[in-house]
């Protein structure tokens, strides 16, 4: 057999002492589409970031065409013909397609001025090669998401790419656009380019990929030809046989006869949330599962008044209420612990104290003045209850660890005595210790009477605390299952994929 | 124990927090030595500096709020001019003192509301929108008088808003102290100030925390306009004149004072006490340079350099954080 195009050997990587990749061997052959699969935190993105020069491996070697290469940064990766298409697009929307394709390596005339005509012509040639008709003079902002992705691919091609990494490329695409994308991928193979395809969508993977590699807990668990791995075996490879004993489900009791703390009827937001209805009872933990782009976050944002839904009714404790801004939601006792703590949850340059108190200013006010001592007492209580590790409450949150930062976001909403808590991926990017604490804390809060919505991609966590789980797909609620009726992670994984 | 737990970065930050006070002292010492015997280091000159700086400090209090949200107001200079002119015209036409003051302050509120609308509602970059508003306001000031001064004969007005004293204390010092105390309480000890800093620190997070960010951004501009309007009345009182060119170029000095005081241009961090010290320092430097015999051109150059240094220092501080 010929030498593989890419070989990553014995790759090891750890962050802050937590080992993320443990001795990974990964290969890509010529003219091949390899699917890289795995649950959240399995190490897929870390491995790809090492390939692309964003991170450096602690140990291990990378060979291209049998030759050992050093990839120290993204520029190096580009020189070796490795291109990556990120989930968030890196195009500049106010520039044209051609300008974007040749950004930072524009064709020049002999007099060193930019050769705009050559730029457009070359762009056209690349796009033609992909079998796509886009006017290279069009501004990127005028293109749909699907076409933007194609421009991304063209941009990679303009740099003589040999291996193209696509990170969940279909998550934002329509079915038709996905078809087009696959057509392009097949064209890439003809151009002698190999593709690494990261995705959670089983069907698509079997449609386009030659080989499947599955990572779990930083190790490769299987790597074989797609035709040799039955589709239903994949799930068990991803999930693993040993259930995580740390997060054990404890059945809880609460009444589904009571008036729901929160009821959502026929919520619709553009194409992202379609006619979603559900009830949430006091003392209940309602899990929401779904792939990226399934409308989980948008549902929460609509309830919290950050998105203006096109249709739908929201009832709190049986009373219909109009929520047009987060302020209104707060008055109803609703809290949102958002997806991104850095961007949405915290003011990173402010102290723990300032961050926690921002939601309770009304409660510590007398004659217009803030009672500092009363405020500090509240913060102290939160630090104690959630066991936030900080030297003192005046420490800036940017100096805390991820897990502790997340606890600050949560405490900011506990401090104002919210009764309906919506947590969007609260355990993302925190260490296992903090994860466990956050999970147990959720259970405690529900026991105290709070109604909790828990959105997560971590199925074992969802299964550990949820009493009931909603499954969303493409903006619709496709299933609503009582936790006790779910046998295990595989069942849920299947539900998310949309199998019966 | 607490101090041992602080790392190098934090110690550095504490040192930086007090830098402005240290710098202030150094400037005093520098001038006291170099201008020995020339009347710099006297009580009379100190009061003089305060009189010259009071209006700038009051404008600085307003601007601190705007900059704390990450915005800027470049129209304060021309607002001061128009406000002084309106107050003078009202007095000339037989209006009473209260009416003249309300007229001047009201102009400030109107300009502030306009800036606030553009900044908060239309989401225009404040740098450009307030520059445009500044031009419009200045033009309006030119309309009635073509930049010629309107003298104020009302000595009571001139005393209350400018040259008067209460005992040994110049009235301008009282105006300035009132603005500083009000601003400090608002920024540090009231809900509003916390929300201003949150908006400047991270607008998205502020919104996710239930803060009406549009309202906050509107209000900072409104308040800044009001302060500029009041400062206009003080200019009128001190000069015994209303003139649309008063306050021309004052923005540079005010911004320098605010930034020297530790308020960061990108928002999220602001201090009114800092603004007071920063403004006094600017006033003192101008005063010292005049006594040294520097002309206006040379003074402008020095002021520009100080502003750049202050901003550079602020950016450095942000990187540390």
């Amino acid at each position: 057999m010929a030498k593989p195009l890419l070989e990553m050997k014995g790759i090891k990587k750890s962050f802050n002492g937590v080992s993320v990749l443990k001795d990974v061997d990964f290969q890509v052959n010529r003219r091949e589409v390899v699917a890289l699969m795995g649950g959240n935190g399995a190490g897929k993105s870390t491995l790809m970031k090492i390939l692309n020069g964003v991170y450096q491996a602690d140990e291990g070697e990378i060979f291209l065409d049998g030759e050992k290469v050093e990839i120290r940064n993204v520029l190096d990766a580009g020189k070796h013909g490795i291109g990556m298409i990120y989930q968030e697009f890196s195009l500049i929307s106010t520039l044209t397609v051609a300008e974007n394709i040749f950004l930072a390596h524009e064709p020049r005339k002999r007099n060193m001025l930019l050769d705009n005509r050559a730029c457009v012509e070359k762009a056209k040639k690349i796009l033609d090669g992909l079998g796509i008709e886009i006017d290279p003079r069009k501004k990127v902002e005028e293109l749909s998401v699907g076409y933007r992705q194609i421009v991304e691919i063209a941009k990679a091609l303009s740099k003589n790419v040999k291996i193209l990494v696509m990170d969940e490329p279909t998550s934002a695409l329509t079915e038709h656009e996905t078809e087009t994308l696959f057509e392009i991928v097949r064209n890439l193979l003809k151009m002698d380019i190999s593709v690494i395809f990261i995705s959670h969508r089983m069907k698509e993977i079997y449609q386009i990929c030659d080989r499947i590699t599955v990572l779990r807990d930083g190790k490769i668990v299987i790597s074989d030809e797609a035709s040799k791995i039955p589709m239903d075996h994949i799930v068990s490879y991803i999930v693993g046989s040993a259930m995580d004993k740390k997060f054990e489900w404890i059945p809880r009791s609460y009444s589904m006869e009571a008036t729901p703390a929160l009821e959502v009827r026929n919520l619709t937001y553009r194409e992202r949330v379609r006619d979603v209805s559900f009830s949430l009872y006091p003392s209940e933990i309602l899990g929401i599962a779904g792939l990226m782009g399934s409308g989980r976050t948008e549902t929460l944002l609509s309830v919290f008044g950050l998105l203006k839904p096109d249709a739908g009714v929201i009832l709190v404790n049986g009373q219909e209420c109009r929520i047009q801004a987060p302020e209104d939601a707060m008055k109803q006792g609703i809290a949102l612990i958002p997806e991104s703590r850095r961007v949405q949850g915290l003011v990173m340059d402010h102290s723990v104290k300032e961050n926690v108190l921002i939601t309770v200013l009304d409660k510590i006010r007398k004659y217009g003045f803030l009672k500092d001592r009363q405020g500090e007492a509240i913060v102290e209580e939160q630090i104690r209850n959630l066991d936030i590790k900080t030297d003192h409450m005046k420490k800036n949150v940017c100096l805390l660890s991820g897990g502790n930062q997340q606890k600050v976001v949560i405490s900011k909403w506990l401090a104002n005595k919210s009764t309906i808590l919506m947590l969007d991926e609260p355990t993302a990017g925190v260490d296992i210790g903090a994860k466990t604490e956050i999970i147990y804390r959720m259970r405690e809060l529900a026991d105290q009477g709070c109604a909790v919505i828990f959105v997560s991609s971590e199925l074992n966590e969802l299964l550990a605390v949820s009493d009931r789980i909603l499954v969303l797909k493409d903006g619709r609620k496709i299933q609503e299952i009582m936790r006790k009726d779910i046998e295990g992670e595989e069942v849920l994984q299947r539900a998310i994929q949309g199998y019966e | 124990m607490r101090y041992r737990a602080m790392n190098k970065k934090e110690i550095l930050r504490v040192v930086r927090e007090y830098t402005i006070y240290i710098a202030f002292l150094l400037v005093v010492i520098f001038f006291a030595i170099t201008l020995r015997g020339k009347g710099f280091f006297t009580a009379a000159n100190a009061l003089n500096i305060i009189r010259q700086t009071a209006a700038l400090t009051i404008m600085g209090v307003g601007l601190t709020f705007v900059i704390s949200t990450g915005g800027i107001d470049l129209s304060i200079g021309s607002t001061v001019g128009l406000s002084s002119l309106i107050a003078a015209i009202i007095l000339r036409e037989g209006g009473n003192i209260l009416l003249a003051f309300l007229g001047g302050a009201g102009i400030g509120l109107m300009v502030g509301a306009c800036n606030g609308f553009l900044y908060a509602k239309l989401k225009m970059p404040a740098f450009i929108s307030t520059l445009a508003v500044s031009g419009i306001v200045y033009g309006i000031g030119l309309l009635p008088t073509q930049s010629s001064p309107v003298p104020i004969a009302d000595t009571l007005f001139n005393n209350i808003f400018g040259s008067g004293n209460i005992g040994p204390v110049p009235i301008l010092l009282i105006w300035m102290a009132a603005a500083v105390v009000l601003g400090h309480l608002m920024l540090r000890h009231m809900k509003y100030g916390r929300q201003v800093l949150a908006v400047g620190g991270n607008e998205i997070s502020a919104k996710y925390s239930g803060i009406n960010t549009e309202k906050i951004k509107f209000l900072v501009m409104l308040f800044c306009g009001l302060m500029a309007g009041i400062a206009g009345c003080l200019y009128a009182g001190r000069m015994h004149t209303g003139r649309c060119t008063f306050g021309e170029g004052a923005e540079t000095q005010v911004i320098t004072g605010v930034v020297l005081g530790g308020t960061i241009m990108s928002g999220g961090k602001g201090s009114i006490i800092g603004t007071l010290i920063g403004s006094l320092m600017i006033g003192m430097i101008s005063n010292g340079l005049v006594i040294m015999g520097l002309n206006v051109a040379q003074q402008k150059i020095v002021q520009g350099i100080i502003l750049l240094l202050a901003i550079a220092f602020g950016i450095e501080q942000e990187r540390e954080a």
Side-chain angles (χ1 to χ4, degrees):
Chain A
M1 213 173 126
K3 268 193 185 142
L5 177 60
L6 167 75
E7 243 190 314
M8 297 176 83
K9 269 190 185 166
I11 302 288
K12 287 182 191 172
K13 178 77 186 170
S14 42
F15 293 104
N16 303 322
V18 181
S19 153
V20 180
L21 292 177
K22 305 160 188 165
D23 202 7
V24 169
D25 292 327
F26 179 66
Q27 289 184 5
V28 179
N29 297 318
R30 285 189 177 282
R31 263 165 269 153
E32 175 178 67
V33 183
V34 180
L36 187 56
M37 303 190 71
N40 280 286
K44 292 169 303 186
S45 346
T46 309
L47 185 66
M48 287 303 104
K49 280 180 178 164
I50 287 172
L51 177 62
N52 199 35
V54 178
Y55 298 144
Q56 310 299 306
D58 298 335
E59 272 176 57
E61 296 170 314
I62 302 176
F63 296 90
L64 275 170
D65 274 331
E67 263 177 61
K68 192 179 168 201
V69 292
E70 294 280 339
I71 301 176
R72 276 175 236 94
N73 49 46
V74 182
L75 229 70
D76 276 357
K79 275 182 208 146
H80 290 299
I82 295 159
M84 180 142 179
I85 293 168
Y86 292 95
Q87 287 166 356
E88 307 97 48
F89 302 131
S90 62
L91 299 177
I92 298 170
S93 56
T94 50
L95 296 183
T96 66
V97 171
E99 284 163 347
N100 265 292
I101 291 175
F102 289 102
L103 193 68
H105 59 118
E106 294 86 354
R108 284 169 193 275
K109 294 184 198 164
R110 232 178 257 146
N111 60 12
M112 288 311 283
L113 291 179
L114 298 184
D115 191 345
N116 287 323
R117 195 182 296 162
C119 182
V120 170
E121 273 166 17
K122 282 184 170 183
K124 181 120 188 67
K125 222 167 156 189
I126 295 174
L127 292 167
D128 284 347
L130 291 173
I132 298 297
E133 264 189 50
I134 303 177
D135 183 353
R137 282 162 297 195
K138 232 183 186 174
K139 294 244 155 61
V140 165
E141 58 196 357
E142 295 167 34
L143 301 179
S144 73
V145 182
Y147 279 110
R148 285 182 200 195
Q149 196 138 42
I150 292 163
V151 176
E152 287 268 1
I153 295 171
K155 189 174 165 183
L157 291 184
S158 76
K159 294 176 197 163
N160 296 320
V161 71
K162 280 188 276 181
I163 299 172
L164 192 59
V165 185
M166 296 185 178
D167 193 356
E168 293 221 37
T170 58
S171 59
L173 301 190
T174 64
E175 223 164 284
H176 180 72
E177 285 171 329
T178 305
E179 271 313 310
T180 316
L181 180 74
F182 286 173
E183 203 48 50
I184 288 173
V185 169
R186 287 182 197 112
N187 276 335
L188 291 179
L189 294 179
K190 283 182 208 150
M191 291 182 228
D192 213 6
I193 293 165
S194 296
V195 175
I196 301 172
F197 192 88
I198 302 178
S199 178
H200 293 293
R201 304 193 176 190
M202 222 69 82
K203 264 190 212 158
E204 292 175 359
I205 281 173
Y206 277 92
Q207 220 177 319
I208 192 76
C209 296
D210 305 307
R211 216 149 47 79
I212 298 177
T213 299
V214 180
L215 268 172
R216 188 176 73 229
D217 296 332
K219 282 182 214 149
I220 302 265
V221 284
I222 187 164
S223 183
D224 208 343
E225 279 166 41
S227 53
K228 290 187 186 155
I229 313 174
M231 203 188 281
D232 28 319
H233 286 194
I234 291 279
V235 173
S236 43
Y237 281 122
I238 293 174
V239 173
S241 50
M243 264 289 273
D244 207 330
K245 288 282 180 253
K246 271 191 200 90
F247 303 135
E248 208 176 344
W249 182 55
I250 304 168
R252 302 173 55 254
S253 66
Y254 62 96
S255 164
M256 284 180 71
E257 306 289 304
T259 314
L262 176 73
E263 192 180 344
V264 172
R265 288 185 193 153
N266 310 105
L267 190 72
T268 300
Y269 174 74
R270 300 195 187 163
E271 304 282 288
R272 315 295 292 275
V273 181
R274 304 181 205 199
D275 201 26
V276 168
S277 303
F278 62 88
S279 295
L280 169 70
Y281 297 93
S283 288
E284 183 184 39
I285 302 176
L286 178 67
I288 299 186
L291 295 174
M292 231 183 65
S294 59
R296 303 172 306 182
T297 299
E298 289 82 357
T299 302
L300 300 194
L301 293 182
S302 301
V303 171
F304 199 59
L306 279 160
L307 293 178
K308 287 206 165 60
D310 302 310
V313 180
I314 293 167
L315 293 91
V316 175
N317 297 322
Q319 299 282 318
E320 189 177 331
C321 49
R322 280 164 66 82
I323 296 177
Q324 291 179 312
E327 280 172 287
D328 304 332
M330 276 169 81
K331 279 186 200 127
Q332 301 294 339
I334 303 176
L336 172 68
I337 286 94
E339 214 175 354
S340 161
R341 58 176 174 268
R342 300 179 67 89
V343 178
Q344 300 153 336
L346 296 169
V347 181
M348 298 301 284
D349 288 341
H350 284 187
S351 67
V352 173
K353 177 180 154 188
E354 286 167 306
N355 271 291
V356 171
L357 289 181
I358 198 72
T359 55
V360 282
L361 296 175
D362 279 328
K363 292 181 178 136
I364 55 169
R365 223 152 44 123
K366 205 171 179 190
Y367 310 119
F369 290 102
L370 299 175
K371 312 263 281 180
D372 202 43
R373 208 169 295 162
Q374 204 181 327
E376 294 198 345
I378 291 177
V379 181
E380 250 161 40
E381 189 193 331
Q382 292 302 330
I383 290 180
R384 209 173 38 240
N385 283 352
L386 281 173
D387 195 22
I388 298 172
K389 303 221 168 38
T390 174
D391 309 330
H392 45 92
M393 66 172 77
K394 289 189 178 139
K395 189 164 178 166
N396 279 6
V397 289
C398 57
L399 301 171
L400 304 186
S401 73
N404 283 303
Q405 286 175 357
Q406 188 65 306
K407 287 186 194 171
V408 174
V409 185
I410 295 173
S411 64
K412 135 181 181 180
W413 292 103
L414 297 182
N416 85 340
K417 308 259 183 288
S418 302
T419 49
I420 301 170
L421 301 169
M422 306 191 290
L423 299 96
D424 196 354
E425 298 276 8
T427 57
V430 308
D431 60 280
I432 187 80
K435 247 178 210 185
T436 319
E437 282 178 67
I438 290 170
I439 298 249
Y440 285 134
R441 186 72 193 154
M442 266 194 286
R443 201 177 277 154
E444 242 174 77
L445 287 164
D447 287 344
Q448 289 160 13
C450 284
V452 180
I453 294 182
F454 176 37
V455 168
S456 182
S457 305
E458 310 267 356
L459 302 189
N460 61 338
E461 293 177 14
L462 269 180
L463 289 171
V465 282
S466 306
D467 301 308
R468 195 155 50 103
I469 294 178
L470 300 187
V471 181
L472 298 185
K473 184 165 188 281
D474 300 329
R476 286 184 208 285
K477 182 173 96 176
I478 54 168
Q479 278 204 56
E480 184 175 333
I481 332 167
M482 294 304 292
R483 169 63 181 91
K484 60 177 168 14
D485 300 331
I486 303 175
E487 297 273 324
E489 226 174 302
E490 287 181 36
V491 179
L492 191 54
Q493 180 70 259
R494 261 176 248 274
I496 290 170
Q497 296 283 346
Y499 302 136
E500 285 312 310
Chain B
M1 275 315 279
R2 175 178 277 196
Y3 289 97
R4 198 172 299 165
M6 280 167 64
N7 59 23
K8 228 179 183 174
K9 257 189 196 167
E10 280 181 86
I11 293 169
L12 218 69
R13 187 156 40 220
V14 172
V15 171
R16 288 224 157 111
E17 249 180 67
Y18 294 101
T19 315
I20 176 70
Y21 302 101
I22 298 164
F24 185 80
L25 280 180
L26 287 179
V27 172
V28 172
I29 294 167
F30 173 76
F31 281 129
I33 293 170
T34 54
L35 299 175
R36 203 169 2 152
K38 290 185 182 164
F40 175 82
F41 204 62
T42 60
N45 194 43
L47 291 180
N48 203 13
I49 290 173
I50 285 171
R51 279 196 200 93
Q52 286 163 358
T53 329
L56 292 179
T57 309
I58 291 170
M59 291 153 85
V61 168
L63 192 64
T64 304
F65 281 83
V66 176
I67 295 183
S68 292
T69 65
I72 187 79
D73 184 354
L74 297 178
S75 70
I76 46 178
S78 44
T79 305
V80 162
L82 184 62
S83 153
S84 75
L85 184 69
I86 295 294
I89 289 176
I90 288 174
L91 290 169
R92 188 183 68 188
E93 302 303 321
N96 64 22
I97 294 173
L98 183 66
L99 203 62
F101 174 67
L102 290 180
I107 284 295
L109 278 179
M110 275 159 59
V111 177
C114 191
N115 283 331
F117 178 73
L118 299 173
Y119 178 47
K121 271 280 162 205
L122 300 189
K123 318 233 181 292
M124 286 188 186
F127 170 71
I128 295 300
S129 61
T130 59
L131 192 64
V133 167
S134 174
I136 296 169
V137 171
Y138 188 75
I140 293 173
L142 282 174
L143 283 177
T145 61
Q146 256 71 46
S147 94
S148 57
V150 176
I152 298 172
D154 192 320
T155 44
L156 185 59
F157 180 91
N158 290 336
N159 276 332
I160 294 177
F161 293 103
S163 30
N165 293 295
I166 294 180
V169 183
I171 197 120
L172 284 173
L173 176 59
I174 293 170
W175 279 105
M176 180 171 89
V180 168
V181 169
L182 175 74
H184 179 72
L185 288 178
M186 272 167 57
L187 193 62
R188 278 274 164 274
H189 298 283
M190 291 188 178
K191 178 183 173 186
Y192 175 66
R194 293 287 178 86
Q195 295 189 325
V196 165
L197 292 172
V199 169
N202 181 349
E203 193 172 339
I204 296 173
S205 154
K207 204 171 203 171
Y208 273 72
S209 305
I211 295 172
N212 186 340
T213 53
E214 279 183 17
K215 185 173 110 189
I216 298 293
K217 287 167 83 176
F218 177 81
L219 286 177
V220 290
M221 284 296 188
L222 192 71
F223 180 67
C224 185
L226 175 65
M227 288 291 127
I230 293 173
C233 294
L234 301 183
Y235 265 86
R238 186 160 65 94
M239 305 295 198
H240 302 188
T241 314
R243 194 173 187 182
C244 72
T245 54
F246 285 167
E248 232 181 338
E251 303 89 19
T252 320
Q253 281 178 299
V254 175
I255 294 170
T256 310
V258 171
V259 173
L260 272 178
T263 300
I264 283 173
M265 291 303 285
S266 55
K269 239 171 225 170
S271 158
I272 296 290
I273 304 297
T275 294
L276 170 68
I277 305 288
S279 304
L280 285 176
M281 197 156 124
I282 292 299
M284 195 167 62
I285 291 172
S286 309
N287 175 279
L289 294 180
V290 171
I291 297 177
M292 263 182 182
L294 264 65
N295 61 30
V296 179
Q298 290 162 325
Q299 285 179 44
K300 288 258 177 207
I301 293 170
V302 173
Q303 280 169 7
I305 291 170
I306 294 174
L307 176 55
L308 284 180
L309 288 177
I311 294 174
F313 191 72
I315 291 171
E316 188 60 31
Q317 212 170 355
E318 271 173 88
R319 283 207 196 107
E320 289 291 325

